[in-house]
């Protein structure tokens, strides 16, 4: 695809007088997609750049976290495409086992049915039907945001190709004895009736009770404290620390477990903290992960006392009670027997809840499938340690190592119907057969397939290579694996990222799935609080897009994006970004109205004014800055640099300083018009990855080019002009000082004031017309009277304010302010001269007083000059 760089006549006439995002964004995006700009060609000889979208749930919709992450990825990929890379941004969605099954089950409940009424096969068909009709609304929302993904390659974790990849790696892991089946403690949701992963557990502070219970009698008694009295029915020991002298006489003996009539041993275990509580803990191996480990070390039995619904299954008086009902009943029974030593209500403690249905999680001993992660996790850690993979920001490496170096085996089975069914068959005589994708499952009487499905993270862990066609050796896999970078939130570093690292290294012969892991923070509200519907501060980004445009939302998110740091965002900031988009529109349109063009070569250095040379110098510095910030994933600094270059330097300084040149016409005007066109061309290219819609519209109008999506990324030409920079900085210093003075006098910036400028001793003499234009300074008349004189940057500006201010009142005001500044100086000097005070005062207090002294001295000098500039009498 090539660019047409012919400039149309009067291009600005094609642009509406004001920017309306709703009239532009949708049409532009569809044009980009129709023209195939985002499609990646694995046969191309361009260098590859591949990145995956963290697959959103098929049940989901675009939230600010998605919009934030997608904005960063889109900015990266748009720039890489402009740099000449064969760029693939791989889209797709996750089947989201529990979440999707819950959605469809709720739909069935409205019909008075459950999944069991349909049966497994019919229920799964119903889920696929829901997916086709209602799932994936996030795809349309991604288009609204401007995501430049290759839609022709869209994948779904349950599609045929990815299902083959899942079955292939399961078989490979099984054959390598890295997958096994065993009874272990897992997170169990009594509502969803499945094991869930750690990431699907949300912890919150709940109010409960802490009860202290006496086990045994007399000297052979021990007091234990618990928040879950109902689990005592499954206690199989009491544990104490081996060095705790209080209980050494009891270690190895048995004591009676209240209410049950059973006797349980007292064991010594190093896990027990003798300083916490009574130094003794009840051990319930079937209902607590730490207790399970103690039980394994001491050969304790595992006694389950609850079923999958968290209903008590043992001991007559409590049989059939829900766990919370049983808790109250058991405490009452213990109290009646005099076993309750202490009770604390309310007792606030952290409790795990299912992220899907908010039910309290029940640790439960269960027969599940597991991945032996030891060798996989070691490889994932080594890949970062030896530099194959870099984590950005680097300080996040420690968190990564803390996780992968201490990773427990991974429970991968889920008691659901929606998902990848575990490819294992059980025979009538205890046979177990794992079947690969090209193998036929065993048939005959008595053979059945495992009813569980795999954890969603199992399939999403294959995402960087399964989406490229693995296990087939495809051209896409050869071209785009490994990915260049993974951009994702630090909150799933341990879950999704670690699993992709383990699986990528394992399946792809030691080649990691990406070279760089760029971690970002979470989006929060303007006060730094987590966004949540329950907090009432959640925001639908589509509402902001409707109101302010997608560019405004994108720029706001990018502007807040510091690596690994949470991002506060409020509507005021989006509104400010909308003003920026409008400023780009209005100022660029104005520039085109005044002849800004890209036609012809740039004028020679000799043909350009100092203002022209300065802005071109700053343009190249900004290109270099932008490249450095992109390579370091410093989106906030990038956005700030582009914002201030565009608004402050191009529009507020260069355009304003060049107006007199444009008005005068001639060759200097033509030179400046070409320079301005060059600056706008490059500036719009630089801004495009972050704000693609407004820049595309303006750039194609200015240049006649086909699209910024396929335009060339700017390069730093190396042009710098220190002399011009110094000259313009002198103008800026003078203008700022005069503007500050005018503001102090209560004068509007646009109010015209007669002035005499003495610039002869400086390099500013050639810029007098521009300075007068910018400052609204009129030529001096015959009746000119200098009521204020400002010495600035070696020059002198005399202003006649006689018609605008009350001279006696102004003298009185300045005199009052001068007296206050002199008093402040005296007080600061007195404190700093007091040796006793200096000896005792903290350094920060002394520094603060020194700052007050410096400011007071500056104020005195300024006010004295202003008083001297006022006419006498």
């Amino acid at each position: 695809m090539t660019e047409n760089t012919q400039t149309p006549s009067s291009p600005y006439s094609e642009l509406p007088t004001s920017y309306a995002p709703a009239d532009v964004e949708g049409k532009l995006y569809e044009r980009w997609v129709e023209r195939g700009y985002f499609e990646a060609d694995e046969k191309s000889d361009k260098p590859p750049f591949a990145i995956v979208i963290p697959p959103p749930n098929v049940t989901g919709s675009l939230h600010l976290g998605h919009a934030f992450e997608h904005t960063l990825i889109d900015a990266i990929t748009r720039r890489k495409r402009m740099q000449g890379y064969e760029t693939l941004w791989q889209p797709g969605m996750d089947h989201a086992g529990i979440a999707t099954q819950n959605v469809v089950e709720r739909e069935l409940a409205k019909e008075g049915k459950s999944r069991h009424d349909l049966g497994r096969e019919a229920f799964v068909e119903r889920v696929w039907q829901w997916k086709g009709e209602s799932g994936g609304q996030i795809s349309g929302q991604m288009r609204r945001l401007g995501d430049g993904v290759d839609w022709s390659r869209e994948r779904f974790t349950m599609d045929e190709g990815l299902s083959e990849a899942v079955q292939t790696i399961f078989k490979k892991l099984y054959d390598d004895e890295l997958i096994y089946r065993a009874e272990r403690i897992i997170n169990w949701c009594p509502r969803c009736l499945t094991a869930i992963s750690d990431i699907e557990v949300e912890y919150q502070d709940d109010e409960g009770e802490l009860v202290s219970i006496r086990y045994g009698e007399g000297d052979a008694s021990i007091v234990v404290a618990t928040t879950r009295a109902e689990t005592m029915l499954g206690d199989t020991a009491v544990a104490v620390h081996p060095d705790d002298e209080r209980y050494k006489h009891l270690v190895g003996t048995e004591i009676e477990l209240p209410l049950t009539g059973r006797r349980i041993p007292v064991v010594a275990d190093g896990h027990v903290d003798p300083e916490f509580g009574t130094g003794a803990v009840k051990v319930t191996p079937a209902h607590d992960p730490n207790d399970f480990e103690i039980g394994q070390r001491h050969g304790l039995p595992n006694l389950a006392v609850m079923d999958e619904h968290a209903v008590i299954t043992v001991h007559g008086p409590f049989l059939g009670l829900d766990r919370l009902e049983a808790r109250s009943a058991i405490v009452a029974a213990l109290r009646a027997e005099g076993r309750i030593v202490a009770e604390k209500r309310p007792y606030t403690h952290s409790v795990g809840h299912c992220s899907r249905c908010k039910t309290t999680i029940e640790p439960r001993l269960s027969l599940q499938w597991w991945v032996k992660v030891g060798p996989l996790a070691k490889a994932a850690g080594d890949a970062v340690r030896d530099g194959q993979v870099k984590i950005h920001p680097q300080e996040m490496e420690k968190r990564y190592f803390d996780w992968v170096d201490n990773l427990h085996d991974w429970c991968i089975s889920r008691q659901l119907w929606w998902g990848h069914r575990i490819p294992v068959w059980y025979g009538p005589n205890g046979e177990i057969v794992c079947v690969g994708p090209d193998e036929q499952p065993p048939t005959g009487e008595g053979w059945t397939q495992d009813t569980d499905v795999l954890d969603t993270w199992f399939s999403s862990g294959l995402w960087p290579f399964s989406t490229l066609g693995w296990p087939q050796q495809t051209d896409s896999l050869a071209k785009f694996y490994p990915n260049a970078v993974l951009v994702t939130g630090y909150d799933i570093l341990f879950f999704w990222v670690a699993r992709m690292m383990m699986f990528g290294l394992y399946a792809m012969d030691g080649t990691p799935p990406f070279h760089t892991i760029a971690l970002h923070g979470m989006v929060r509200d303007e006060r730094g609080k987590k966004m949540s519907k329950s907090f009432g501060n959640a925001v639908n980004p589509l509402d902001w897009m409707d109101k302010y445009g997608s560019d405004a939302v994108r720029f706001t998110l990018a502007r807040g994006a510091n690596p690994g740091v949470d991002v506060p965002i409020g509507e005021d900031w989006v509104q400010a970004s909308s003003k920026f988009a409008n400023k780009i529109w209005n100022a660029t349109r104005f520039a085109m109205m005044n002849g800004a063009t890209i036609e012809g070569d740039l004028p020679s250095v000799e043909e350009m004014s100092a203002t022209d040379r300065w802005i071109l110098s700053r343009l190249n510095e900004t290109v270099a800055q932008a490249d450095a910030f992109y390579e370091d994933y410093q989106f906030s600094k990038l956005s700030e640099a582009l914002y201030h270059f565009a608004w402050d330097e191009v529009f507020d300084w260069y355009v304003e300083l060049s107006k007199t040149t444009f008005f005068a016409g001639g060759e200097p005007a033509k030179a400046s018009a070409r320079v301005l066109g060059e600056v706008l061309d490059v500036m719009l290219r630089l801004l495009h990855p972050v704000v693609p819609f407004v820049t595309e519209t303006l750039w194609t109008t200015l240049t006649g080019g086909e699209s910024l999506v396929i335009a060339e990324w700017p390069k730093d030409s190396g042009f710098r002009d220190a002399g011009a920079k110094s000259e313009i900085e002198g103008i800026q210093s003078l203008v700022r000082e005069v503007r500050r003075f005018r503001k102090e006098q209560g004068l509007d910036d646009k109010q015209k004031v007669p002035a005499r400028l003495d610039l002869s001793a400086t390099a500013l003499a050639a810029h007098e017309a521009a300075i007068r234009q910018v400052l609204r300074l009129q030529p001096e008349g015959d009746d000119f009277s200098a009521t204020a004189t400002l010495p600035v940057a070696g020059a002198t500006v005399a202003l006649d304010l006689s018609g605008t201010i009350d001279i006696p009142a102004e003298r009185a005001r300045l005199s009052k302010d001068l007296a206050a500044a002199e008093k402040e100086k005296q007080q600061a000097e007195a404190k700093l001269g007091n040796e006793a005070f200096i000896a005792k005062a903290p350094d920060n207090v002394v520094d603060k007083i020194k700052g007050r002294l410096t400011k007071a001295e500056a104020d005195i000098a300024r006010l004295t000059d202003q008083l001297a500039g006022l006419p006498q009498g």
Side-chain angles (χ1 to χ4, degrees):
M1 289 174 284
T2 59
E3 295 178 61
N4 168 22
T5 56
Q6 296 301 309
T7 306
S9 60
S10 304
Y12 69 90
S13 63
E14 301 176 14
L15 297 173
T17 54
S18 60
Y19 180 52
D23 296 339
V24 171
E25 295 176 348
K27 295 175 184 176
L28 268 186
Y29 188 84
E30 289 310 313
R31 186 165 69 200
W32 292 334
V33 172
E34 288 169 5
R35 294 184 178 182
Y37 294 155
F38 304 139
E39 293 180 11
D41 181 6
E42 62 266 18
K43 302 293 180 63
S44 165
D45 58 2
K46 294 179 182 179
F49 181 87
I51 191 169
V52 296
I53 189 173
N57 288 352
V58 67
T59 59
S61 60
L62 193 73
H63 56 63
L64 269 179
H66 288 130
F68 173 54
E69 186 167 79
H70 291 201
T71 294
L72 304 188
I73 299 175
D74 194 43
I76 291 171
T77 55
R78 284 178 182 269
R79 172 175 175 261
K80 285 296 180 182
R81 192 178 290 111
M82 294 172 75
Q83 286 182 310
Y85 287 83
E86 192 60 44
T87 304
L88 169 62
W89 183 10
Q90 174 67 55
M93 285 182 292
D94 191 286
H95 65 278
I98 296 176
T100 306
Q101 181 158 317
N102 281 347
V103 167
V104 178
E105 285 197 84
R106 284 196 293 270
E107 292 296 314
L108 285 174
K110 295 176 184 177
E111 303 170 14
K113 298 177 182 177
S114 72
R115 60 182 163 121
H116 300 285
D117 294 325
L118 272 66
R120 183 170 194 142
E121 186 174 336
F123 176 77
V124 170
E125 288 180 4
R126 179 70 175 261
V127 180
W128 277 108
Q129 179 185 341
W130 174 88
K131 190 261 182 186
E133 295 173 354
S134 307
Q137 62 173 314
I138 199 169
S139 297
Q141 296 165 342
M142 288 164 57
R143 293 170 182 265
R144 282 288 310 279
L145 188 64
D147 286 5
V149 300
D150 186 346
W151 290 110
S152 69
R153 294 172 178 262
E154 188 174 9
R155 302 304 298 269
F156 180 53
T157 50
M158 286 282 286
D159 69 29
E160 185 176 346
L162 269 64
S163 294
E164 179 187 359
V166 168
Q167 195 171 352
T168 299
I169 202 161
F170 187 99
K171 171 71 171 173
K172 181 175 170 59
L173 288 164
Y174 183 87
D175 290 346
D176 288 345
E177 298 183 349
L178 293 174
I179 280 184
Y180 64 93
R181 197 180 189 215
E183 267 198 328
R184 297 281 181 84
I185 293 286
I186 46 89
N187 301 310
W188 181 264
C189 176
R191 157 61 184 79
C192 298
L193 296 179
T194 182
I196 65 173
S197 65
D198 290 338
I199 198 172
E200 291 163 325
V201 179
E202 293 180 347
Y203 287 90
Q204 65 184 48
D205 288 339
D206 287 357
E207 284 191 358
E209 60 181 354
L210 180 68
V211 293
S212 298
I213 309 168
R214 178 171 50 84
Y215 288 14
E217 301 292 345
D219 291 338
S221 67
I222 293 182
V223 174
V224 299
T226 182
T227 59
R228 306 184 67 223
E230 69 278 10
T231 64
M232 69 161 290
L233 300 176
D235 287 359
T236 56
V238 170
V240 298
H241 193 275
D243 300 330
D244 195 330
E245 294 292 337
R246 294 171 295 177
Y247 303 118
K248 279 199 170 181
H249 67 290
L250 291 176
V251 174
T253 67
E254 291 186 342
I255 58 176
E256 184 174 334
L257 179 65
L259 303 182
T260 68
R262 287 192 292 114
R263 298 187 67 78
I264 57 176
V266 178
V267 299
D269 194 277
H271 172 76
V272 179
D273 180 1
E275 303 299 323
F276 183 77
T278 64
V281 297
K282 59 192 288 297
V283 182
T284 320
H287 293 279
D288 182 276
N290 294 321
D291 292 3
F292 178 78
E293 297 296 331
I294 294 174
Q296 292 291 101
R297 288 193 288 271
H298 296 278
L300 301 175
N302 301 317
L303 180 58
V305 297
M306 283 181 252
D307 65 13
E308 65 270 24
H309 298 280
V311 171
I312 302 297
T313 58
V314 299
H315 201 66
F318 312 110
L319 183 65
L321 294 180
D322 171 83
R323 55 185 165 168
L324 298 180
E325 297 171 334
R327 182 178 302 170
S328 299
I330 288 170
V331 170
L334 290 168
R335 192 183 298 113
E337 289 190 4
R339 294 283 178 180
I340 301 296
V341 176
E343 297 180 68
K344 185 176 181 181
R345 294 190 186 89
Y347 179 74
T348 302
H349 60 131
S350 182
V351 178
H353 297 260
C354 174
S355 64
R356 304 299 177 191
C357 67
K358 311 308 177 187
T359 301
T360 300
I361 290 301
E362 187 62 46
R364 185 169 187 257
L365 186 65
S366 181
L367 182 63
Q368 302 283 347
W369 285 94
W370 304 81
V371 172
K372 188 184 297 182
V373 299
L376 303 176
K378 182 181 184 304
D382 290 346
V384 175
R385 287 189 172 93
D386 65 20
Q388 284 190 81
V389 179
K390 297 186 183 302
I391 294 179
H392 191 280
Q394 190 173 1
E395 54 265 27
M396 287 286 182
E397 280 187 4
K398 182 180 184 302
R399 296 179 65 177
Y400 176 79
F401 292 136
D402 286 346
W403 179 257
V404 297
D405 293 346
N406 299 284
L407 203 55
H408 297 294
D409 285 358
W410 170 22
C411 176
I412 56 173
S413 46
R414 298 290 181 266
Q415 290 64 57
L416 303 171
W417 287 356
W418 173 244
H420 296 102
R421 195 163 173 181
I422 290 177
V424 171
W425 272 255
Y426 304 106
N429 299 311
E431 303 97 328
I432 300 178
V433 177
C434 180
V435 177
D438 299 324
E439 300 171 347
Q440 291 296 319
T443 58
E445 187 176 350
W447 283 93
T448 58
Q449 185 178 359
D450 195 300
T451 57
D452 287 352
V453 300
L454 288 164
D455 177 12
T456 297
W457 295 103
F458 191 93
S459 52
S460 61
L462 314 179
W463 194 247
F465 53 93
S466 64
T467 52
L468 297 174
W470 187 91
Q472 309 305 320
Q473 298 304 306
T474 64
D475 291 339
S476 291
L477 191 65
K479 178 76 172 180
F480 295 115
Y481 187 91
N483 287 183
V485 62
L486 172 75
V487 177
T488 192
Y490 64 70
D491 59 323
I492 56 173
L493 172 65
F494 312 134
F495 305 101
W496 188 46
V497 178
R499 282 152 174 71
M500 285 191 291
M501 285 286 286
M502 291 190 296
F503 280 166
L505 290 159
Y506 174 73
M508 301 301 292
D509 300 321
T511 302
F514 20 73
H515 299 305
T516 301
I517 301 169
L519 299 171
H520 59 72
M522 302 295 101
V523 177
R524 298 180 177 272
D525 70 13
E526 60 267 36
R527 296 178 182 84
K529 189 175 182 179
K530 179 181 177 181
M531 285 192 172
S532 166
K533 289 181 181 178
S534 60
F535 295 156
N537 62 351
V539 173
N540 182 347
L542 295 176
D543 293 341
W544 282 351
M545 288 184 214
D546 290 340
K547 194 171 182 180
Y548 302 108
S550 297
D551 282 335
V553 173
R554 290 170 61 113
F555 190 76
T556 305
L557 291 165
R559 200 174 183 184
N562 289 299
V565 179
D566 288 347
V567 182
I569 185 173
E571 186 169 359
D572 288 350
W573 305 335
V574 184
Q575 188 175 20
S577 296
S578 175
K579 290 179 180 178
F580 178 51
N582 287 325
K583 179 73 171 182
I584 297 170
W585 181 275
N586 294 331
T588 303
R589 187 175 182 276
F590 173 83
M592 286 190 279
M593 287 174 62
N594 285 276
T597 181
I598 64 164
E599 289 184 340
D601 296 332
L602 278 172
S604 66
V605 172
E606 293 74 23
E607 293 174 303
M608 288 189 285
S609 68
T611 312
D612 295 334
R613 300 196 305 275
W614 164 73
I615 198 63
L616 285 178
S617 182
R618 282 294 302 126
L619 179 68
N620 281 285
E621 289 174 349
T622 304
V623 171
Q625 271 188 315
D627 283 332
F629 290 144
Y630 262 116
E631 294 303 316
D632 201 33
Y633 306 101
Q634 297 280 358
F635 293 98
S636 178
K637 291 180 180 179
L638 166 75
S639 301
E640 285 296 313
L642 296 180
Y643 175 90
H644 289 294
F645 175 71
W647 193 308
D648 299 344
E649 296 181 300
V650 177
F651 300 141
D652 281 0
W653 283 110
Y654 179 71
V655 170
E656 289 298 316
L657 289 174
S658 300
K659 280 182 178 178
T660 54
T661 301
F662 287 128
F663 295 159
E667 292 304 314
K670 290 179 182 179
S672 291
R674 179 64 187 89
V675 169
L676 181 53
E678 183 75 10
V679 171
L680 293 175
D681 176 15
V682 175
M683 182 195 76
L684 292 170
R685 292 173 194 250
L686 292 174
L687 282 165
H688 175 73
V690 180
V691 284
F693 295 107
V694 67
T695 52
E696 172 85 341
T697 307
L698 292 170
W699 185 85
T700 53
T701 305
L702 170 70
T703 68
E706 183 180 336
S707 173
L708 265 176
V709 180
I710 55 171
E712 186 177 348
W713 182 253
K715 294 183 176 66
D716 176 7
S717 71
F719 176 78
R720 303 288 192 277
D721 192 320
K725 184 177 181 180
S726 176
E727 205 167 314
I728 301 306
E729 285 175 351
I731 296 174
Q732 291 172 328
S733 177
L734 184 148
V735 169
R736 290 189 183 107
E737 181 61 23
V738 174
R739 281 178 173 168
R740 185 190 62 77
F741 177 78
R742 288 173 60 127
K743 185 176 181 181
E744 289 176 346
Q745 310 308 312
L747 298 178
D748 186 89
D749 282 345
K750 295 181 180 180
Q751 187 172 349
K752 294 182 179 181
V753 177
R756 176 188 299 139
L757 273 62
D758 182 2
L759 310 174
S760 57
T762 72
L764 306 184
H767 302 280
E768 179 170 348
I771 292 170
R772 286 185 176 276
Q773 166 69 27
V774 170
L775 286 172
R776 306 294 193 269
L777 300 180
Q778 293 178 318
E780 54 186 298
D782 294 337
D783 57 348
F784 180 83
S785 173
T787 59
T789 304
L790 305 176
V792 186
T796 302
V797 178
L799 302 174
D800 183 355
L801 304 179
S802 57
T804 58
I805 63 171
D806 183 334
I807 300 298
E810 182 62 16
R811 180 177 297 281
R813 184 184 71 81
L814 291 173
S815 298
K816 181 179 179 182
D817 290 347
L818 179 61
E822 289 173 338
K823 182 178 181 181
E824 176 73 5
K825 178 187 175 186
Q826 292 170 2
Q827 291 175 342
E829 287 177 335
K831 286 188 176 181
L832 294 173
N834 185 334
E835 294 182 3
F837 171 78
I838 295 297
K840 294 180 181 179
D843 289 345
N844 65 317
V845 173
V846 174
D847 290 343
K848 187 175 181 180
I849 295 172
K850 288 180 178 177
R852 286 168 49 192
L853 176 60
T854 300
K855 182 179 183 302
E857 289 174 339
D859 287 343
I860 290 170
R862 175 175 57 82
L863 293 165
T864 301
D865 286 343
Q866 289 180 15
L867 277 168
L870 291 175
Q872 302 298 315

